[in-house]
Amino acid sequence: MPAYVIAHLQEAAPHPEIAEYMERIPSTFEPYGGRFLVHAAQHEVKEGSWPGHVVVIGFPGVAEARAWWDSPAYQEIAPLRSRHIEGEIILVEGVPEGYDPTVTAQTMREALPAE
């Protein structure tokens, strides 16, 4: 199943280290099959608030995403971003092909107390 690294990053002032990070990050994905799915795109907030930016990086699977995050190549450049941009970053596994949310809903209904 695919996996995704999703970042919600706050606004930051331009900085040479951020530019270097952005220049170097694509090469860290290559050994793990990763690629940007969302980066530097405008977003439209539909509920709540979402200041800042959204970044989504796709990987073939959770093992590849973890290996990328832990790789010496990425860990070497991560401080170039984290020194200047605050935010939250998560790794999440995607759903399998043909995923049906009604199965999850049925399981939830079965767990509800009887009326």
Side-chain angles (χ1 to χ4, degrees):
M1 281 185 281
Y4 306 95
V5 174
I6 303 172
H8 178 205
L9 303 175
Q10 303 306 309
E11 293 285 340
H15 193 280
E17 286 192 340
I18 297 171
E20 180 181 348
Y21 174 84
M22 291 173 59
E23 291 164 349
R24 293 176 60 187
I25 193 169
S27 67
T28 69
F29 299 154
E30 291 170 6
Y32 308 98
R35 68 182 187 91
F36 279 115
L37 300 176
V38 176
H39 188 256
Q42 293 294 319
H43 64 274
E44 183 176 338
V45 178
K46 295 296 191 183
E47 288 188 34
S49 66
W50 195 289
H53 301 281
V54 180
V55 176
V56 180
I57 305 163
F59 290 90
V62 74
E64 292 88 348
R66 283 188 184 124
W68 165 74
W69 181 266
D70 295 334
S71 71
Y74 182 68
Q75 289 302 310
E76 179 182 320
I77 67 168
L80 299 172
R81 175 196 42 79
S82 64
R83 281 194 287 262
H84 306 284
I85 302 174
E86 292 186 24
E88 298 79 31
I89 301 174
I90 64 169
L91 188 157
V92 61
E93 190 170 39
V95 297
E97 189 75 30
Y99 171 76
D100 182 356
T102 62
V103 173
T104 302
Q106 182 59 37
T107 302
M108 183 185 299
R109 287 190 181 284
E110 290 169 0
L112 292 171
E115 292 182 21

